[in-house]
């Protein structure tokens, strides 16, 4: 269902807006946008070969530290969208996240920017190098933007 794009393009996953996800105005409920972006992040990890069980067994887990969601255009039941996901790695305990929700006609419906980390589930602290922690578990780290 999900597919990795060429190195220059972010990972994307397709989603169809379901009627039960809409509010009384017929718009996609605001909280569901966050669920779509979360789904894309987990799909990206899976495409890189990282299963949730492997994260837990390794004693680490991804955490969202900050998110800003900008709504650009409304979404309605039946709309086909793609949700992208790209991580921006640095040399700190945190990494950037950029995600776009784009309608089938190319119109951007929403943009999420955020900050994430990888938590040591025993120490309850962020690991020093989140990219290295994920690279160690990944069968295809390139999907994550890691070499």
């Amino acid at each position: 269902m999900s597919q990795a794009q060429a190195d220059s393009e972010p990972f994307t996953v397709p989603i169809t807006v379901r009627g039960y996800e809409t509010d009384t105005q017929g718009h996609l409920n605001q909280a569901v946008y966050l669920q779509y972006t979360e789904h894309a992040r987990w799909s990206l990890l899976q495409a890189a070969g990282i299963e949730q069980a492997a994260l837990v067994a390794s004693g680490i887990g991804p955490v969202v530290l900050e998110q800003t969601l900008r709504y650009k255009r409304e979404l309605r039941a039946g709309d086909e969208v793609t949700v992208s996901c790209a991580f921006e790695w640095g040399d700190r305990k945190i990494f950037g996240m950029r995600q776009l929700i784009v309608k089938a006609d190319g119109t951007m419906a929403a943009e999420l920017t955020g900050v994430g980390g990888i938590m040591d589930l025993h120490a309850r602290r962020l690991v020093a190098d989140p990219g290295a922690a994920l690279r160690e578990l990944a069968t295809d780290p390139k999907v994550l933007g890691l070499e």
Side-chain angles (χ1 to χ4, degrees), residues 1 8 12 14 29-30 50 56 63 86 88 93 101 106 115 134-135 141 145:
M1 180 150 125
S8 63
T12 62
N29 178 279
Q30 51 84 26
I50 302 173
V56 172
V63 293
E88 300 162 354
K93 293 180 178 184
I101 300 175
V115 176
L134 292 180
R135 187 183 302 109

Side-chain angles (χ1 to χ4, degrees), residues 60-140:
I60 61 173
V63 293
V64 174
L65 302 169
E66 177 182 313
Q67 294 184 105
T68 300
L69 187 58
R70 290 184 177 82
Y71 304 97
K72 306 287 188 172
R73 295 286 184 268
E74 65 186 5
L75 292 175
R76 296 187 173 274
D79 282 348
E80 300 282 338
V81 299
T82 57
V83 184
S84 67
C85 184
F87 296 143
E88 300 162 354
W89 303 102
D91 58 358
R92 300 175 56 201
K93 293 180 178 184
I94 59 173
F95 56 89
M97 301 181 297
R98 183 162 191 265
Q99 296 185 259
L100 304 177
I101 300 175
V102 179
K103 295 170 78 168
D105 67 3
T107 303
M108 186 189 321
E111 175 184 23
L112 179 134
T113 55
V115 176
I118 301 297
M119 180 177 284
D120 178 318
L121 300 176
H122 303 291
R124 306 305 291 174
R125 299 220 181 276
L126 296 178
V127 301
D129 188 344
L134 292 180
R135 187 183 302 109
E136 188 173 311
L137 294 175
T139 57
D140 188 0

